[in-house]
Amino acid sequence: MSQATITPKTQASTAFTKLKCKECGAEYEPKAMHVCEECFGPLEVKYDYSILKSNVTRQSIEAGPKSIWRYRSFLPLATDNYIDVGTGMTPLVKSTRLARRLGLKNLYIKNDAVNMPTLSFKDRVVSVALSRARELGFSTVSCASTGNLANSTAAIAAHAGLDCCVFIPADLEAGKVMGTLIYNPTLMAVKGNYDQVNRLCCEVANSHGWGFVNINLRPYYSEGSKTLGFEVAEQLGWQLPDHIVAPLASGSLYTKIYKGFQEFIKVGLVEDKSVRFSGAQAEGCSPIAQAFKEGRDFITPVKPNTIAKSIAIGNPADGIYALEIAQKTNGNIESVTDAEVIEGMKLLAETEGIFTETAGGTTIAVLKKLVEAGKIDPDETTVAYITGNGLKTQEAVQGYVGQPFVIEPKLDNFEKAYERANTLERLEWQQVLV
Ligand SMILES: *Cc1c(COP(=O)(O)O)cnc(C)c1O
């Protein structure tokens, strides 16, 4: 086809072609599979970029839906029967107060703490994975989750009328558990860490024939994260930033932001430019940051022990690819302590009015650490990716924020309390009342 305007039905089925091994290049029909049968490398979705180049324009994207599906031509579906629950097009906020505090001139916050429907970036990957799962004929969908993925899978499966059975580590935050149960899936809380949950799920995937969004559907799932690259480029006025900072769990999100930028360059939607990729991990689970610091090209798995549970993956599937990107883009992968994670959450809330979860606290703390180490230039256009919502991980900041002033519904009682509030530390005042 050759017309300039987008006609999604035809361009979609032609641009998305096959699965291709990242290691040996072997190609496969786009089924539910994620490992190369020749070399056991991971499979990735392949597109015909010449078709995208002749059919997609800035205008055609801008005329699309206000969701990730405006980038539908870059996503791996054979039909236009996608699930649109309003995922994506979250705010890109120009930071003033946090930027000033850190000494940066061009800082932006990409706020996926308000993504739809379940307040994390995982809604992007699940919207894509379940759309593809439906095309491939699955009636039951599943995942191995650190929390947010279970929320997204359960919610979007409910919307799409798919049966859902999800797996989490048994020690997750209450908000993550309730944020799954409310959609009434089958929820398996496994006594073990994420890596053990994942191992169990690989066995279930083989024996049950379910669509596991991050196992046998992983090539499709991971493509959803590219939209975090696309949106930032579009929201910056069709330009790439100079530097990004994103959290790393399996490393998928980080590598796919990179792929998204590369694809926009390839099809001529933005000018070619090198973007520095920096990554954030919590010290209690930082296998990629450790490998980066030691200049290794391999990952040594660790046993997670951190409050940043949503990014606590000890054996990260895409770790080596994330390392490669950090090294070749002149970025950094840094880790911070749990105390710094909490400080990061509070700092973002107090300066920008954004309540993020522990993963976002990790990102902000690493951003601060990199600035202080001179590893981010104050003039660089820097984007910090905030990937989840703080209301889901309230345990993390319990005891690290103030207390309410408990008063009678009387004006003089308020006046007295307000006066004391201005003279006393809040915590002291609370003790006075009790
Ligand atoms: C899952 C998750 C990530 C990182 O995911 P990857 O496995 O690296 O793609 C980051 N932030 C939050 C809040 C998450 O839930």
Side-chain angles (χ1 to χ4, degrees):
M1 50 177 274
S2 59
Q3 73 266 41
T5 49
I6 271 199
T7 45
K9 274 200 174 64
T10 41
Q11 59 86 19
S13 52
T14 46
F16 157 50
T17 56
K18 287 201 155 44
L19 297 180
K20 185 177 174 182
C21 176
K22 273 185 94 150
E23 292 298 328
C24 75
E27 294 191 359
Y28 298 90
E29 287 310 309
K31 297 176 297 192
M33 63 187 290
H34 68 301
V35 179
C36 178
E37 287 166 0
E38 308 285 325
C39 77
F40 302 107
L43 301 182
E44 193 169 46
V45 174
K46 191 185 160 201
Y47 301 87
D48 182 338
Y49 291 107
S50 64
I51 288 171
L52 290 172
K53 194 164 181 166
S54 55
N55 290 300
V56 183
T57 62
R58 293 177 181 177
Q59 291 73 21
S60 68
I61 290 172
E62 285 164 356
K66 285 218 174 334
S67 70
I68 58 168
W69 297 109
R70 69 207 277 109
Y71 310 109
R72 188 246 164 286
S73 354
F74 294 86
L75 296 172
L77 290 189
T79 68
D80 277 327
N81 187 23
Y82 52 75
I83 304 167
D84 191 349
V85 283
T87 300
M89 288 310 276
T90 55
L92 180 71
V93 183
K94 175 91 200 265
S95 163
T96 49
R97 298 192 65 235
L98 177 61
R100 204 178 309 139
R101 182 81 73 91
L102 297 177
L104 295 176
K105 298 196 185 110
N106 295 302
L107 174 65
Y108 292 83
I109 307 292
K110 179 59 174 169
N111 186 9
D112 258 19
V114 295
N115 202 8
M116 286 287 125
T118 69
L119 311 177
S120 90
F121 104 90
K122 289 296 196 309
D123 293 328
R124 297 174 184 274
V125 281
V126 173
S127 286
V128 174
L130 295 197
S131 296
R132 185 65 184 145
R134 223 163 47 171
E135 280 187 349
L136 290 169
F138 287 103
S139 54
T140 302
V141 291
S142 186
C143 66
S145 172
T146 55
N148 284 315
L149 187 59
N151 295 176
S152 285
T153 303
I156 300 175
H159 177 90
L162 293 162
D163 288 331
C164 180
C165 176
V166 289
F167 298 74
I168 55 171
D171 70 346
L172 287 192
E173 303 92 342
K176 295 273 168 76
V177 177
M178 181 52 74
T180 299
L181 286 175
I182 190 64
Y183 305 107
N184 199 22
T186 304
L187 176 61
M188 297 290 166
V190 180
K191 294 179 192 165
N193 60 37
Y194 171 82
D195 300 282
Q196 293 168 305
V197 173
N198 191 48
R199 242 182 331 266
L200 170 63
C201 286
C202 289
E203 293 178 50
V204 178
N206 285 333
S207 61
H208 275 67
W210 293 347
F212 273 80
V213 301
N214 57 341
I215 300 177
N216 52 358
L217 297 170
R218 190 172 178 85
Y220 310 104
Y221 153 98
S222 59
E223 289 291 287
S225 290
K226 293 190 308 191
T227 60
L228 269 173
F230 298 153
E231 284 177 23
V232 161
E234 183 179 348
Q235 289 170 320
L236 286 173
W238 299 102
Q239 284 183 65
L240 299 183
D242 297 314
H243 203 149
I244 68 107
V245 184
L248 301 153
S250 72
S252 174
L253 158 72
Y254 179 90
T255 59
K256 292 296 174 161
I257 295 171
Y258 183 83
K259 188 181 182 195
F261 288 165
Q262 291 304 311
E263 288 185 341
F264 264 22
I265 293 170
K266 217 174 285 184
V267 304
L269 287 166
V270 296
E271 258 176 50
D272 196 353
K273 171 174 174 182
S274 60
V275 182
R276 298 175 65 197
F277 271 65
S278 287
Q281 295 207 292
E283 211 167 275
C285 185
S286 52
I288 311 176
Q290 282 170 21
F292 182 84
K293 270 175 229 173
E294 292 164 21
R296 287 192 258 119
D297 62 358
F298 62 94
I299 305 283
T300 308
V302 301
K303 218 172 144 198
N305 179 21
T306 169
I307 58 166
K309 295 175 196 272
S310 62
I311 50 171
I313 297 186
N315 189 10
D318 293 297
I320 53 166
Y321 302 111
L323 265 183
E324 246 174 60
I325 291 171
Q327 283 156 356
K328 79 177 169 206
T329 64
N330 193 26
N332 288 280
I333 299 180
E334 212 13 295
S335 62
V336 288
T337 63
D338 283 359
E340 290 172 299
V341 170
I342 293 167
E343 282 306 310
M345 291 170 73
K346 293 181 66 176
L347 179 61
L348 184 66
E350 290 167 22
T351 55
E352 298 294 341
I354 294 171
F355 185 13
T356 186
E357 65 149 84
T358 47
T362 306
T363 303
I364 295 300
V366 163
L367 172 73
K368 181 166 179 276
K369 195 165 174 178
L370 292 176
V371 173
E372 284 165 358
K375 290 175 175 169
I376 293 179
D377 190 300
D379 290 315
E380 283 183 309
T381 296
T382 302
V383 176
Y385 282 93
I386 296 304
T387 49
N389 193 295
L391 289 170
K392 294 196 211 176
T393 64
Q394 296 183 43
E395 293 92 334
V397 285
Q398 211 90 60
Y400 297 95
V401 292
Q403 297 281 332
F405 295 83
V406 182
I407 60 171
E408 300 296 331
K410 291 180 184 145
L411 183 61
D412 69 327
N413 213 261
F414 158 71
E415 296 292 5
K416 239 186 277 169
Y418 192 62
E419 201 187 310
R420 298 294 295 273
N422 286 311
T423 53
L424 286 177
E425 284 292 311
R426 281 164 189 244
L427 287 174
E428 276 179 55
W429 171 245
Q430 179 65 16
Q431 281 155 12
V432 169
L433 274 179
V434 167

